[in-house]
Amino acid sequence: SQELEQSPQSLIVQEGKNLTINCTSSKTLYGLYWYKQKYGEGLIFLMMLQKGGEEKSHEKITAKLDEKKQQSSLHITASQPSHAGIYLCGARGGNYGQNFVFGPGTRLSVLP
Amino acid sequence: DAGVIQSPRHEVTEMGQEVTLRCKPISGHDYLFWYRQTMMRGLELLIYFNNNVPIDDSGMPEDRFSAKMPNASFSTLKIQPSEPRDSAVYFCASSLSSGRISYNEQFFGPGTRLTVL
């Protein structure tokens, strides 16, 4: 079965600093999703990447997909306390599958 | 739209009791997913439905767990009898497919925090 690993497990940065979170898949990726979760709340969709080399940005968050390496990275520029939370990557179990697997998450803290 | 609605938000019960979690997906969405989240195992897919039909229940841990979707606007996840190891946050999510393959994001509910004593 497909597994997703994330690194680092946790991250503490000073406000204004840039940071990168990585997600690596054990199998071919058929779409990679990034979600953010705050404690006690559900997951909030951030971005979806489908094609190798694809890059998407939303405000100060940029995600890239390296299909060959079966990896994706999430980069936050000039981090703010509002960016704090748990970031999870998710992927479909197959090209036509709806079953989803998620990474363990990266816990981000941003110090003011 | 109010988003995915789950109830109750918190449930505390004693071992052996029946627990029923409820979910109302976003209107018009044709896929519904049940997940469980724990510190040890992270977020796990339990079962998902397409047009009210269960498609994949391979993630359901044991026969004590059952899920139903009697109509497009309601689903339940039942645990009978409940055990302390079932304590977790249970999420419901829904999505809208585009054609045969859904590439659209899943919208998550706020979750139900279940504690089994």
Side-chain angles (χ1 to χ4, degrees), chain B residues 5-91:
Chain B
I5 299 173
Q6 290 188 248
S7 65
R9 291 295 308 275
H10 302 273
E11 177 79 37
V12 180
T13 189
E14 292 187 345
M15 183 174 63
Q17 297 297 306
E18 178 180 298
V19 175
T20 300
L21 311 181
R22 297 172 177 79
C23 174
K24 176 178 167 53
I26 292 174
S27 177
H29 281 191
D30 55 349
Y31 280 90
L32 184 139
F33 305 80
W34 281 101
Y35 290 89
R36 177 173 66 177
Q37 187 177 40
T38 61
M39 288 292 291
M40 291 297 294
R41 301 175 67 89
L43 195 61
E44 303 172 282
L45 176 65
L46 300 177
I47 184 173
Y48 74 90
F49 295 83
N50 177 220
N51 292 322
N52 314 337
V53 177
I55 303 300
D56 185 351
D57 64 354
S58 59
M60 296 284 263
E62 342 180 346
D63 293 345
R64 297 184 297 107
F65 285 70
S66 62
K68 293 182 180 179
M69 192 165 185
N71 56 63
S73 59
F74 184 66
S75 177
T76 59
L77 179 67
K78 186 176 294 186
I79 308 172
Q80 167 63 19
S82 59
E83 296 183 3
R85 59 192 169 121
D86 300 331
S87 298
V89 180
Y90 291 82
F91 288 102

